[in-house]
Amino acid sequence: MEHHLQTPLKIEDIEKLNAGDIVYISGEILTARDEAHARILEMGEKGEELPFSLEGAVVYHCGPLMQKTGKGEKKDWRVVSAGPTTSGRMSKMTPPLLKAHNVRVIIGKGGMKNVSEAMKDRCVYLAYTGGCAALAAELITEVKTVHWIDLGMPEAVWVLRVEKFGPLIVGIDTKGKDIFAEVREKAEKVLAEMRK
Amino acid sequence: MFSKISRETFIRSIADLLRKAEIELPDDVIEALRKAEAREENPVAKSQLQAILKNIELAKNHGVPMCQDTGIMIFFAELGTEFQSGFDLEAAIRDAVVLATVEIPLRPNAVNPLTRKNSGDNTGVEIPDIHWKLVPGKKLKITVAPKGAGSENMSALRMMNPTETGSIKHVVLETVINAGGMPCPPLTLGVGIGGSFDKAARLAKEALLEPLDAPMSSFEKEILDAVNALGIGCMGLGGSTTALAVHVKTAHCHTASLPVAINIQCWANRHASVVFGEEE
């Protein structure tokens, strides 16, 4: 089944998505990877306010390759290449992130371990084809702004406007069904058979 | 006798080589991906392979890197013992990386391992990583292989017991299962067996440079079939092609040792070569 979503997202928008469905997203998305996750959690612990809102947000595990086209204005950036990074590195930080903020969609590649429980009734994980960075760049229509550029280009939080961003495959749905975990379990069984 | 190439021309050639490696995949890699797409029956896996093929075409047409992880730069140089450049080749390669980072552009990926401070230009201590091999003759062949972290992070080195030769296949399979969709399958697997702790890893990395259409030994074929039987598929979402090829390289080792290294390569098996001193 194919779905088209528009940000910001409500829980009703994502509850209808089932593992294996195809999704396209339009609107605003934010990039965040290792360092940004760590800083979001750290600021939360200190009770500090984030410079951006994660309410109904789409978080994209991505360290884009950007090129500066202007002289220091935040908007003067061009997206060169912006595919998903390995979500597995964010596995541990994701349950506390979802507890503190109403993030409704996480986009990444390769899946995450032990997050499906934390995602139940809250968030979906959408898989974007790893390495497809030229394709992703085509679907990003605007670089709205950038936060935390001090973390470096790949680790900063880029606020991007996207148009029909996809195809994204629902990897983990709000019911807790996790395609990656199922594939892994099956592979382990095949290996156990081979060892016999 | 010195080669006729100037330092400036050499730097230009290496920067152009980097551009080629980042933007275009070798024909044998594209062909292997096309074949995988044609034979794939799982609709999700097929959609992923189609996205990959479309991405390859877009990157080439627009002249942009195919993946935002433009990697760290690894060079394999075969230096003819009679080739003389008259300038510091390593420093020139380094300058070419700095130039290419701005020109192409490339994502600055090189950081200090402890402070995590980014150098900003893809160079740093011992990076770019340049491997020199002395060969007979008057030529210098340079291959660049930009390596992304997604696949590199899932690679493994195991110091096995010498009596465990029969378990090598299972160690490869465990590594591939543990990696799942994280290293962006369909993969190419470079397996280095023997040598020493570091030599095995080097052999595994060199094995990734083998053409994907090169004939595989029965051992390589056996591992490839077993890897694909796991059903991990493109991006770990299930499917029939988890790996496109397995290449094994071996070296004699200590009688008490059995080092086994598995270097994982994502679908974007990027590399390009150039030869200097051909006309002499």
Side-chain angles (χ1 to χ4, degrees), chain B residues 48 52 71 83 88 105 118 198 230 248 259:
Chain B
Q48 300 295 296
I52 288 171
F83 180 92
D88 182 341
N118 198 315
D198 51 319
L230 296 174
V248 175

Side-chain angles (χ1 to χ4, degrees), chain A residues 169-183:
Chain A
I169 308 290
V170 181
I172 307 171
D173 62 25
T174 52
K175 279 78 79 182
K177 189 172 159 71
D178 181 347
I179 295 187
F180 297 95
E182 286 176 5
V183 166

Side-chain angles (χ1 to χ4, degrees), chain A residues 30-34 36-37 40 59-62 85 90 155-157:
Chain A
L30 301 117
T31 71
R33 44 186 273 164
D34 311 61
H37 274 70
I40 290 168
V59 167
Y60 183 23
H61 291 157
C62 169
T85 196
M90 273 63 79
E155 304 286 343
V157 172

Side-chain angles (χ1 to χ4, degrees), chain A residues 50-52 66-79 142-150 153 156-161:
Chain A
L50 297 176
F52 45 83
M66 313 290 278
Q67 194 172 33
K68 210 166 196 173
T69 54
K71 286 182 182 169
E73 284 297 317
K74 278 181 179 177
K75 281 193 179 183
D76 290 344
W77 290 92
R78 177 176 84 95
V79 184
E142 189 191 351
V143 180
K144 293 204 76 173
T145 189
V146 59
H147 301 282
W148 301 347
I149 193 75
D150 60 296
M153 182 195 292
V157 172
W158 296 90
V159 184
L160 310 169
R161 182 157 282 280

